[in-house]
Amino acid sequence: MTASLEQLRRCHFAVDLGAARTRVYVKGAGLVVDQPSVAAVNTRTGALIAVGEFAEKMTGRTPGYIRVVKPVSGGTVVDIEMAQRMLRQLLGERLRRTLRRKPRLRAAACTPHGSDPLAQRAAVETLVGLGARRVELVDTLIAAAVGCGLPVERAEATMIMVCGAAHTQVAVLSLGAIVTAERIPVGGEAVDHAIVQHLRHQHELMLPSQSVRPLQLALSGNGLTPQGPASTEIHGRDVATGLARSVRVDTAAVRDAIQTPLTAVLDGIGKVLRNCPPDLVADLADRGIMMVGGSALLPGFDQMLRHATGMPVHIAERPEVCAVLGLGEMLDGRIQPMALDSVST
């Protein structure tokens, strides 16, 4: 990890290209971009109309010649050219000029654990297209653990769960490296899909494309527990008539609907613990699990994990930006690895 940290200290900026949001950290300036990974394009001219929050608000509300696209899917760049155009627009002309003045511009990027070489190459090519001469890749689990203040460099176990939009990544870390990890293909988007399908089948109601998150927040702080609200009112479109309609939804039924994707997360945690050495599991009994990522804020998710695992569960102070802040700490040289020198005989 020492050589990797030395290379990261030479980087000038870091990018976390997520399926939901894109974040950019510039050395010496901090977090400068935190916007949705969305772009709106005029299909007639090919011109980029909007990016970020403005483009996200246009989803489902555009005329036929405007297409809203997501160049990042499942933590992987699926449209390199569009991702480059989106990043250029998000950075702005002034910041791009500042970065271009750097001799031999270097960049760092987060990659999901276990990502294949093709996904890594797509991330590298995206940043090379912005002018980077060299790109360093960092595992999202390591970056997030550093960003939320876990002592990853010590000889003791720390367990982190990165709750992303497309995937949930769980790992046990020790001595600055991953001991065992699991990448579960279930994230916030799977929970959204489960809620949408429940309302469509049980209430014949179609939700607007941006109203699933408010539904989750309506479940309040104890949303996934029986102590949450008994019901909540949802507005949508009737499947049969196409007219606007409101229904009173039983939140207990919503909790049942999202149990399937959340159970897959619990299975992944169990698999990681089973593959972990007993000494490290003993450490985790006291320290528990640290949750990061935007989906960690799903109301009551931490309580459900605490009840299912019997371990302490904590949510990071700023869970959605831990990964990019961890990269920033590595860029600024604030992380010092434990020295493991060979013993001479």
mmCIF file of all heavy atoms in Angstrom, residues 197-220:
data_model
loop_
_atom_site.group_PDB
_atom_site.id
_atom_site.type_symbol
_atom_site.label_atom_id
_atom_site.label_comp_id
_atom_site.label_asym_id
_atom_site.label_seq_id
_atom_site.Cartn_x
_atom_site.Cartn_y
_atom_site.Cartn_z
ATOM 1 N N GLN A 197 -42.733 -1.908 -8.342
ATOM 2 C CA GLN A 197 -43.482 -3.103 -8.733
ATOM 3 C C GLN A 197 -44.604 -3.405 -7.743
ATOM 4 O O GLN A 197 -45.695 -3.843 -8.136
ATOM 5 C CB GLN A 197 -42.534 -4.305 -8.822
ATOM 6 C CG GLN A 197 -41.538 -4.216 -9.966
ATOM 7 C CD GLN A 197 -42.245 -4.088 -11.316
ATOM 8 O OE1 GLN A 197 -43.149 -4.854 -11.654
ATOM 9 N NE2 GLN A 197 -41.816 -3.097 -12.100
ATOM 10 N N HIS A 198 -44.379 -3.168 -6.476
ATOM 11 C CA HIS A 198 -45.424 -3.393 -5.474
ATOM 12 C C HIS A 198 -46.634 -2.482 -5.730
ATOM 13 O O HIS A 198 -47.785 -2.945 -5.721
ATOM 14 C CB HIS A 198 -44.868 -3.146 -4.073
ATOM 15 C CG HIS A 198 -45.915 -3.071 -3.015
ATOM 16 N ND1 HIS A 198 -46.576 -4.177 -2.525
ATOM 17 C CD2 HIS A 198 -46.451 -1.993 -2.348
ATOM 18 C CE1 HIS A 198 -47.454 -3.804 -1.614
ATOM 19 N NE2 HIS A 198 -47.391 -2.479 -1.488
ATOM 20 N N LEU A 199 -46.371 -1.205 -5.982
ATOM 21 C CA LEU A 199 -47.474 -0.264 -6.210
ATOM 22 C C LEU A 199 -48.186 -0.563 -7.533
ATOM 23 O O LEU A 199 -49.401 -0.363 -7.635
ATOM 24 C CB LEU A 199 -46.940 1.171 -6.213
ATOM 25 C CG LEU A 199 -46.412 1.670 -4.862
ATOM 26 C CD1 LEU A 199 -45.825 3.058 -5.004
ATOM 27 C CD2 LEU A 199 -47.524 1.688 -3.824
ATOM 28 N N ARG A 200 -47.461 -1.036 -8.507
ATOM 29 C CA ARG A 200 -48.081 -1.360 -9.803
ATOM 30 C C ARG A 200 -48.981 -2.586 -9.693
ATOM 31 O O ARG A 200 -50.100 -2.597 -10.233
ATOM 32 C CB ARG A 200 -46.994 -1.587 -10.849
ATOM 33 C CG ARG A 200 -47.543 -1.811 -12.257
ATOM 34 C CD ARG A 200 -46.414 -2.058 -13.235
ATOM 35 N NE ARG A 200 -46.928 -2.255 -14.572
ATOM 36 C CZ ARG A 200 -47.045 -1.303 -15.486
ATOM 37 N NH1 ARG A 200 -46.690 -0.067 -15.188
ATOM 38 N NH2 ARG A 200 -47.517 -1.559 -16.684
ATOM 39 N N HIS A 201 -48.532 -3.618 -8.975
ATOM 40 C CA HIS A 201 -49.304 -4.857 -8.897
ATOM 41 C C HIS A 201 -50.419 -4.794 -7.863
ATOM 42 O O HIS A 201 -51.515 -5.307 -8.088
ATOM 43 C CB HIS A 201 -48.364 -6.024 -8.569
ATOM 44 C CG HIS A 201 -47.380 -6.302 -9.643
ATOM 45 N ND1 HIS A 201 -46.131 -6.847 -9.408
ATOM 46 C CD2 HIS A 201 -47.436 -6.104 -10.991
ATOM 47 C CE1 HIS A 201 -45.473 -6.973 -10.554
ATOM 48 N NE2 HIS A 201 -46.246 -6.523 -11.525
ATOM 49 N N GLN A 202 -50.158 -4.150 -6.728
ATOM 50 C CA GLN A 202 -51.138 -4.145 -5.645
ATOM 51 C C GLN A 202 -52.129 -2.988 -5.746
ATOM 52 O O GLN A 202 -53.277 -3.110 -5.313
ATOM 53 C CB GLN A 202 -50.418 -4.085 -4.289
ATOM 54 C CG GLN A 202 -49.499 -5.265 -4.029
ATOM 55 C CD GLN A 202 -50.259 -6.577 -4.007
ATOM 56 O OE1 GLN A 202 -51.385 -6.661 -3.518
ATOM 57 N NE2 GLN A 202 -49.639 -7.638 -4.554
ATOM 58 N N HIS A 203 -51.701 -1.861 -6.286
ATOM 59 C CA HIS A 203 -52.570 -0.675 -6.323
ATOM 60 C C HIS A 203 -52.817 -0.173 -7.747
ATOM 61 O O HIS A 203 -53.516 0.829 -7.919
ATOM 62 C CB HIS A 203 -51.947 0.456 -5.494
ATOM 63 C CG HIS A 203 -51.753 0.106 -4.051
ATOM 64 N ND1 HIS A 203 -52.766 0.211 -3.123
ATOM 65 C CD2 HIS A 203 -50.671 -0.364 -3.384
ATOM 66 C CE1 HIS A 203 -52.306 -0.156 -1.924
ATOM 67 N NE2 HIS A 203 -51.044 -0.520 -2.066
ATOM 68 N N GLU A 204 -52.246 -0.838 -8.751
ATOM 69 C CA GLU A 204 -52.391 -0.427 -10.154
ATOM 70 C C GLU A 204 -52.035 1.043 -10.323
ATOM 71 O O GLU A 204 -52.741 1.828 -10.949
ATOM 72 C CB GLU A 204 -53.818 -0.696 -10.660
ATOM 73 C CG GLU A 204 -54.176 -2.184 -10.658
ATOM 74 C CD GLU A 204 -55.545 -2.433 -11.261
ATOM 75 O OE1 GLU A 204 -56.279 -1.449 -11.477
ATOM 76 O OE2 GLU A 204 -55.860 -3.598 -11.529
ATOM 77 N N LEU A 205 -50.915 1.418 -9.728
ATOM 78 C CA LEU A 205 -50.469 2.806 -9.731
ATOM 79 C C LEU A 205 -49.056 2.873 -10.282
ATOM 80 O O LEU A 205 -48.178 2.096 -9.882
ATOM 81 C CB LEU A 205 -50.496 3.378 -8.310
ATOM 82 C CG LEU A 205 -50.327 4.891 -8.183
ATOM 83 C CD1 LEU A 205 -51.605 5.610 -8.602
ATOM 84 C CD2 LEU A 205 -49.969 5.268 -6.740
ATOM 85 N N MET A 206 -48.820 3.791 -11.220
ATOM 86 C CA MET A 206 -47.487 4.032 -11.764
ATOM 87 C C MET A 206 -46.931 5.303 -11.145
ATOM 88 O O MET A 206 -47.589 6.347 -11.160
ATOM 89 C CB MET A 206 -47.526 4.170 -13.295
ATOM 90 C CG MET A 206 -47.841 2.876 -14.022
ATOM 91 S SD MET A 206 -47.814 3.083 -15.806
ATOM 92 C CE MET A 206 -46.080 3.497 -16.072
ATOM 93 N N LEU A 207 -45.721 5.201 -10.600
ATOM 94 C CA LEU A 207 -45.109 6.355 -9.949
ATOM 95 C C LEU A 207 -44.363 7.209 -10.962
ATOM 96 O O LEU A 207 -43.800 6.685 -11.924
ATOM 97 C CB LEU A 207 -44.123 5.902 -8.882
ATOM 98 C CG LEU A 207 -44.690 5.353 -7.576
ATOM 99 C CD1 LEU A 207 -43.548 4.992 -6.645
ATOM 100 C CD2 LEU A 207 -45.593 6.353 -6.905
ATOM 101 N N PRO A 208 -44.322 8.537 -10.745
ATOM 102 C CA PRO A 208 -43.398 9.365 -11.528
ATOM 103 C C PRO A 208 -41.973 8.902 -11.290
ATOM 104 O O PRO A 208 -41.656 8.338 -10.241
ATOM 105 C CB PRO A 208 -43.633 10.773 -10.966
ATOM 106 C CG PRO A 208 -44.982 10.727 -10.347
ATOM 107 C CD PRO A 208 -45.152 9.324 -9.837
ATOM 108 N N SER A 209 -41.092 9.148 -12.247
ATOM 109 C CA SER A 209 -39.744 8.585 -12.200
ATOM 110 C C SER A 209 -38.922 9.087 -11.025
ATOM 111 O O SER A 209 -37.937 8.459 -10.654
ATOM 112 C CB SER A 209 -39.010 8.914 -13.510
ATOM 113 O OG SER A 209 -38.975 10.310 -13.710
ATOM 114 N N GLN A 210 -39.298 10.220 -10.421
ATOM 115 C CA GLN A 210 -38.481 10.796 -9.360
ATOM 116 C C GLN A 210 -39.144 10.725 -7.986
ATOM 117 O O GLN A 210 -38.701 11.390 -7.064
ATOM 118 C CB GLN A 210 -38.147 12.253 -9.686
ATOM 119 C CG GLN A 210 -37.346 12.415 -10.953
ATOM 120 C CD GLN A 210 -37.079 13.869 -11.271
ATOM 121 O OE1 GLN A 210 -37.362 14.746 -10.488
ATOM 122 N NE2 GLN A 210 -36.529 14.116 -12.440
ATOM 123 N N SER A 211 -40.202 9.941 -7.830
ATOM 124 C CA SER A 211 -40.949 9.977 -6.569
ATOM 125 C C SER A 211 -40.674 8.779 -5.674
ATOM 126 O O SER A 211 -41.293 8.656 -4.629
ATOM 127 C CB SER A 211 -42.446 10.044 -6.858
ATOM 128 O OG SER A 211 -42.884 8.860 -7.495
ATOM 129 N N VAL A 212 -39.764 7.875 -6.048
ATOM 130 C CA VAL A 212 -39.517 6.697 -5.217
ATOM 131 C C VAL A 212 -38.762 7.073 -3.959
ATOM 132 O O VAL A 212 -39.095 6.634 -2.863
ATOM 133 C CB VAL A 212 -38.745 5.632 -6.012
ATOM 134 C CG1 VAL A 212 -38.411 4.448 -5.117
ATOM 135 C CG2 VAL A 212 -39.579 5.164 -7.190
ATOM 136 N N ARG A 213 -37.741 7.919 -4.077
ATOM 137 C CA ARG A 213 -36.989 8.338 -2.903
ATOM 138 C C ARG A 213 -37.870 9.055 -1.877
ATOM 139 O O ARG A 213 -37.780 8.772 -0.688
ATOM 140 C CB ARG A 213 -35.819 9.231 -3.312
ATOM 141 C CG ARG A 213 -34.708 8.462 -4.001
ATOM 142 C CD ARG A 213 -34.068 7.467 -3.066
ATOM 143 N NE ARG A 213 -33.112 6.613 -3.765
ATOM 144 C CZ ARG A 213 -32.479 5.604 -3.235
ATOM 145 N NH1 ARG A 213 -32.717 5.282 -1.987
ATOM 146 N NH2 ARG A 213 -31.640 4.878 -3.928
ATOM 147 N N PRO A 214 -38.741 9.991 -2.291
ATOM 148 C CA PRO A 214 -39.645 10.575 -1.300
ATOM 149 C C PRO A 214 -40.519 9.535 -0.602
ATOM 150 O O PRO A 214 -40.847 9.687 0.573
ATOM 151 C CB PRO A 214 -40.491 11.548 -2.131
ATOM 152 C CG PRO A 214 -39.606 11.931 -3.255
ATOM 153 C CD PRO A 214 -38.811 10.704 -3.571
ATOM 154 N N LEU A 215 -40.875 8.467 -1.316
ATOM 155 C CA LEU A 215 -41.677 7.412 -0.679
ATOM 156 C C LEU A 215 -40.861 6.737 0.417
ATOM 157 O O LEU A 215 -41.364 6.472 1.508
ATOM 158 C CB LEU A 215 -42.108 6.388 -1.720
ATOM 159 C CG LEU A 215 -42.788 5.121 -1.177
ATOM 160 C CD1 LEU A 215 -44.035 5.475 -0.400
ATOM 161 C CD2 LEU A 215 -43.119 4.166 -2.298
ATOM 162 N N GLN A 216 -39.582 6.477 0.150
ATOM 163 C CA GLN A 216 -38.743 5.872 1.175
ATOM 164 C C GLN A 216 -38.593 6.801 2.373
ATOM 165 O O GLN A 216 -38.651 6.371 3.526
ATOM 166 C CB GLN A 216 -37.372 5.527 0.594
ATOM 167 C CG GLN A 216 -37.410 4.439 -0.461
ATOM 168 C CD GLN A 216 -36.036 4.144 -1.028
ATOM 169 O OE1 GLN A 216 -35.060 4.770 -0.626
ATOM 170 N NE2 GLN A 216 -35.954 3.220 -1.952
ATOM 171 N N LEU A 217 -38.419 8.096 2.121
ATOM 172 C CA LEU A 217 -38.264 9.031 3.215
ATOM 173 C C LEU A 217 -39.558 9.189 4.011
ATOM 174 O O LEU A 217 -39.530 9.508 5.197
ATOM 175 C CB LEU A 217 -37.801 10.395 2.679
ATOM 176 C CG LEU A 217 -36.429 10.397 2.005
ATOM 177 C CD1 LEU A 217 -36.112 11.774 1.455
ATOM 178 C CD2 LEU A 217 -35.351 9.978 2.986
ATOM 179 N N ALA A 218 -40.692 8.962 3.352
ATOM 180 C CA ALA A 218 -41.977 9.062 4.048
ATOM 181 C C ALA A 218 -42.126 7.984 5.110
ATOM 182 O O ALA A 218 -42.984 8.087 5.985
ATOM 183 C CB ALA A 218 -43.130 8.968 3.050
ATOM 184 N N LEU A 219 -41.296 6.950 5.022
ATOM 185 C CA LEU A 219 -41.360 5.896 6.027
ATOM 186 C C LEU A 219 -40.746 6.342 7.349
ATOM 187 O O LEU A 219 -40.804 5.609 8.328
ATOM 188 C CB LEU A 219 -40.618 4.653 5.525
ATOM 189 C CG LEU A 219 -41.149 4.039 4.229
ATOM 190 C CD1 LEU A 219 -40.301 2.848 3.834
ATOM 191 C CD2 LEU A 219 -42.586 3.624 4.373
ATOM 192 N N SER A 220 -40.145 7.529 7.399
ATOM 193 C CA SER A 220 -39.559 8.157 8.581
ATOM 194 C C SER A 220 -38.359 7.381 9.099
ATOM 195 O O SER A 220 -37.904 6.410 8.483
ATOM 196 C CB SER A 220 -40.598 8.332 9.692
ATOM 197 O OG SER A 220 -40.734 7.146 10.442
#
